[in-house]
Amino acid sequence: MTRVDRPFFSRYTPDVARDVLGCVLVREMDGLVLRARIVEVEAYRGADDPASHSYRGMTKRTSVMFGEPGHAYVYFTYGNHHCLNLTTEAEGEPGAVLIRAVEPLEGIGEMRKRRGVEELTSLTSGPGKLTKAMGIDLHLNGEDVVKSKELFVLYGRRIEEVAVSTRIGISSGQEKLWRYYLEGNAFVSGARTHNYRTRESVR
DNA sequence: GTTCCGATTTTCT
DNA sequence: GAAAATCGGAACA
């Protein structure tokens, strides 16, 4: 397995989002290995994207989005949940891909323990769920996933069919179709938002 | 310093 | 289908 490299992330964010589908997210700690396949993502950019945290420019929190591509941007929201992003675009340009859902591959028992849930499809089918299942929190904010030993991404199998829709949980920027997911995958979140759906073949 | 609110999840009706 | 839980960041004064 080959690690996803810096140039992969240093591109137009929606392209990175679509291409990272099918790649494998790996979390290693305390001799533990957790692996999961990325099945749902969303793209967030900067000044052209009112739904993005970096829409109004750089702040202490969003500085990671402006930095070198290929780093983890982790934020805390709703007083309960962490969300994982991978930064994109050339250094100086804000951008990140939100990992919304993954499919567990290895360390499933550990994920169940961390989530306190048995149901396999509930383990990592949401941005807050997968961070809890994989032990991802603010201490990984800014982590360089190109070099990190704790959190990184491997290239995966080729993907046949990708579905596109509006992003979930945002109040502006709804005209952009920047949510990408594997059509029919059981771990995709957002069953409640039967919004715009388009199909397209990729790769 | 104070106020407002969210790139969510869970639980209850 | 609706609402509560819960707290750090960002905006405003």
Side-chain angles (χ1 to χ4, degrees):
Chain A
M1 288 278 230
T2 325
R3 214 185 251 233
V4 175
D5 56 7
R6 192 86 60 203
F8 178 93
F9 293 108
S10 187
R11 294 182 293 143
Y12 181 62
T13 310
D15 290 343
V16 179
R18 197 178 48 203
D19 292 347
V20 83
L21 284 175
C23 290
V24 177
L25 182 67
V26 185
R27 174 85 172 95
E28 292 191 9
M29 55 188 158
D30 310 324
L32 203 63
V33 181
L34 304 176
R35 291 194 306 126
R37 183 167 175 245
I38 297 170
V39 300
E40 178 187 353
V41 295
E42 285 177 1
Y44 288 89
R45 273 171 49 90
D48 65 341
D49 182 7
S52 175
H53 289 165
S54 51
Y55 177 58
R56 296 167 194 277
M58 186 161 61
T59 64
K60 185 176 181 184
R61 178 175 62 151
T62 63
S63 62
V64 182
M65 286 183 74
F66 288 77
E68 187 179 47
H71 286 247
Y73 165 45
V74 182
Y75 67 88
F76 184 71
T77 191
Y78 289 105
N80 292 307
H81 309 287
H82 295 279
C83 290
L84 170 68
N85 298 249
L86 302 174
T87 63
T88 58
E89 309 281 347
E91 184 156 4
E93 283 294 312
V97 173
L98 170 68
I99 310 298
R100 286 196 55 90
V102 297
E103 176 178 341
L105 298 175
E106 182 178 346
I108 296 176
E110 181 67 21
M111 293 186 198
R112 283 202 167 99
K113 201 166 93 184
R114 288 166 181 272
R115 284 274 291 123
V117 171
E118 281 300 310
E119 171 67 28
L120 183 64
T121 53
S122 300
L123 241 38
T124 56
S125 55
K129 296 180 188 176
L130 72 93
T131 52
K132 187 172 183 186
M134 299 183 76
I136 296 166
D137 56 30
L138 287 179
H139 95 273
L140 287 172
N141 187 38
E143 186 82 359
D144 182 357
V145 301
V146 173
K147 297 179 176 174
S148 174
K149 289 177 180 172
E150 284 200 78
L151 183 69
F152 51 93
V153 186
L154 304 174
Y155 285 111
R157 291 204 309 269
R158 289 176 72 85
I159 301 306
E160 304 79 35
E161 200 161 77
V162 171
V164 181
S165 84
T166 55
R167 291 171 290 181
I168 293 178
I170 57 169
S171 50
S172 51
Q174 293 174 344
E175 75 289 349
K176 290 181 167 59
L177 300 178
W178 283 359
R179 172 171 176 250
Y180 304 90
Y181 57 98
L182 299 189
E183 182 73 48
N185 187 283
F187 296 87
V188 168
S189 78
R192 66 184 177 284
T193 51
H194 291 290
N195 49 14
Y196 201 106
R197 283 191 177 191
T198 317
R199 290 172 152 213
E200 70 172 35
S201 282
V202 178
R203 291 195 195 172

